Amino acid sequence: MNKEKELFALIDQLASQHHLSQDEYRFLIDHRTPEAAEKLAQHAVQARKAVYGNKVFIRGLIEVSNICKNDCLYCGIRRSNTQCQRYRLTARDILDCCREGYGLGFRTFVLQGGEDAFFTDDFLCGLLEEIKRAHPDCAVTLSLGERSRESYARLKQAGADRYLLRHETADQIHYEKLHPSAMRFDNRMRCLQDLKELGYQVGCGFMVGSPFQTSRELASDLAFIERFQPSMCGIGPFIPQSATPFRNEAAGTLELTCYLLSIIRLIQPNLLLPSTTALGTIHPSGREMGILAGANVVMPNLSPPSVRKKYALYDNKATDGAEAAQCRDALAQRMAAIGYEVVTARGDIIPIP
């Protein structure tokens, strides 16, 4: 069998069985072609429509703090970045964002931030209870990094529904090349397992094209997603940030990110799969291209306009236009133009029997 036939046979196998070996995932990546990408996207769209139809779920993203104790080598809000203009939202700021978002039609709020010691369990539990009291029909997603199992349990009890924690890479050696020695691969994996056991809808994810990444590491990521079976998976292209050690590294590509989105959709057809801000940053139609590759979630920014540019994980991060929650109608029109409907719903994962 020639390579093209083998490639297409593997795509058909993935579409029907939702499983490949790690070596087969690597073959898909190493031998990708525009024709293979098109075939993958067709299968991915069909798989997503079978579960979710043409619905695109919106999440209101609230970036609560850019203060972080960690020093990840790729991140613009890393502790060592003295150029970063630090900020922290108050509980009132966050509640005001939720109130505005609710009026705009958002029924999921995503509270994301650096690992800021100010956000204790007591503070967050009180905040979660207030959000749920004001908006009982809404889901709350937290993305606040690594915490203890006891902390995750308290936050779940207080009303958190989902937790996003990108694993960044499923390969330990690669992980250690992206993070300082104080951060441990085993602890990241422990956190993800704890979250799942505690009953969260759990999101993992990774950067596409991060430094030192090859098809071997990407295949490991795909195999991990297949094993872990998350509720959500956020992937986006690596984009360098000028105040980090990786400032001169090449960015990841839109094409490979969309190719992997399609593969991930076929691994788990009911996955909640965002078309990320990073895609919208590297291409004017990046959001739409992610949806056409198999994604079904977008997360416009509900943060106060005064702080949006300060949450600079990478350079030139998109914060205006369709990335702003206040432009929801414009986003809906852009999705409608490619045949999709932005819906007002919590957008929980739909179990597959």
Side-chain angles (χ1 to χ4, degrees):
M1 185 183 296
N2 66 36
K3 282 189 170 52
E4 184 179 49
K5 286 185 178 179
E6 186 175 355
L7 184 64
F8 278 59
L10 284 176
I11 291 171
D12 288 336
Q13 179 183 331
L14 179 61
S16 61
Q17 300 177 16
H18 315 299
H19 164 75
L20 292 177
S21 71
Q22 192 163 318
D23 285 343
E24 287 170 333
Y25 284 128
R26 190 172 185 182
F27 186 93
L28 279 187
I29 296 164
D30 283 337
H31 297 92
R32 68 187 175 97
T33 64
E35 294 76 21
E38 184 176 355
K39 183 176 178 67
L40 270 170
Q42 289 170 353
H43 276 303
V45 167
Q46 184 178 5
R48 185 201 50 221
K49 285 185 176 180
V51 182
Y52 295 107
N54 285 332
K55 294 177 181 177
V56 173
F57 299 112
I58 54 171
R59 319 301 203 197
L61 177 62
I62 305 170
E63 293 162 336
V64 299
S65 172
N66 70 351
I67 298 167
C68 190
K69 70 177 186 181
N70 293 328
D71 223 9
C72 304
L73 277 69
Y74 49 82
C75 184
I77 64 170
R78 66 194 304 261
R79 185 183 70 239
S80 294
N81 181 5
T82 58
Q83 300 174 37
C84 183
Q85 298 178 45
R86 305 292 176 175
Y87 75 89
R88 177 190 294 133
L89 300 185
T90 65
R92 176 50 51 197
D93 292 333
I94 296 166
L95 291 167
D96 286 347
C97 291
C98 292
R99 186 178 68 251
E100 180 184 14
Y102 192 88
L104 291 168
F106 291 85
R107 295 298 178 266
T108 288
F109 305 118
V110 181
L111 276 53
Q112 182 180 75
E115 292 195 21
D116 182 348
F118 176 84
F119 290 97
T120 62
D121 291 347
D122 287 344
F123 176 89
L124 289 171
C125 286
L127 178 64
L128 286 163
E129 288 164 1
E130 286 199 61
I131 293 172
K132 285 302 185 89
R133 192 159 44 242
H135 310 294
D137 55 333
C138 291
V140 178
T141 302
L142 300 179
S143 183
L144 300 171
E146 297 178 356
R147 304 176 78 93
S148 69
R149 184 185 179 96
E150 293 72 25
S151 174
Y152 291 144
R154 283 194 63 189
L155 299 177
K156 183 78 170 61
Q157 183 66 29
D161 301 281
R162 308 176 187 138
Y163 204 101
L164 301 176
L165 181 64
R166 286 192 176 192
H167 64 281
E168 302 301 359
T169 173
D171 181 275
Q172 181 169 349
I173 294 173
H174 188 215
Y175 186 92
E176 291 169 356
K177 292 178 179 178
L178 301 177
H179 300 89
S181 59
M183 296 183 68
R184 309 295 296 177
F185 175 79
D186 289 347
N187 193 55
R188 181 62 56 99
M189 291 298 168
R190 186 273 305 167
C191 289
L192 286 167
Q193 192 60 41
D194 283 349
L195 288 162
K196 196 167 192 183
E197 290 173 1
L198 289 166
Y200 282 90
Q201 294 180 45
V202 184
C204 61
F206 58 92
M207 294 174 290
V208 178
S210 61
F212 315 110
Q213 185 185 71
T214 70
S215 61
R216 191 180 76 82
E217 286 77 33
L218 286 171
S220 177
D221 287 318
L222 297 173
F224 169 74
I225 290 163
E226 185 183 312
R227 290 192 308 273
F228 185 66
Q229 292 287 296
S231 297
M232 305 164 280
C233 183
I235 73 167
F238 164 74
I239 303 174
Q241 211 278 349
S242 56
T244 69
F246 292 156
R247 65 180 67 85
N248 295 320
E249 298 290 335
T253 68
L254 173 76
E255 292 76 17
L256 181 54
T257 303
C258 288
Y259 191 80
L260 293 168
L261 282 170
S262 297
I263 292 174
I264 292 168
R265 172 61 63 195
L266 294 178
I267 290 173
Q268 195 177 336
N270 68 333
L271 199 62
L272 295 165
L273 194 59
S275 185
T276 61
T277 300
L279 276 176
T281 297
I282 66 171
H283 192 285
S285 300
R287 285 276 206 204
E288 291 91 330
M289 294 169 79
I291 298 295
L292 292 170
N296 67 330
V297 172
V298 292
M299 297 198 296
N301 201 322
L302 265 178
S303 306
S306 61
V307 304
R308 287 180 192 167
K309 291 189 182 300
K310 296 178 183 178
Y311 199 81
L313 303 182
Y314 47 82
D315 284 348
N316 304 311
K317 181 184 165 201
T319 58
D320 302 317
E323 301 301 329
Q326 293 76 7
C327 297
R328 189 201 141 181
D329 289 347
L331 176 63
Q333 289 171 9
R334 289 177 64 165
M335 293 296 113
I338 58 171
Y340 289 83
E341 177 191 7
V342 169
V343 296
T344 298
R346 281 172 50 111
D348 293 298
I349 190 170
I350 295 177
I352 294 180

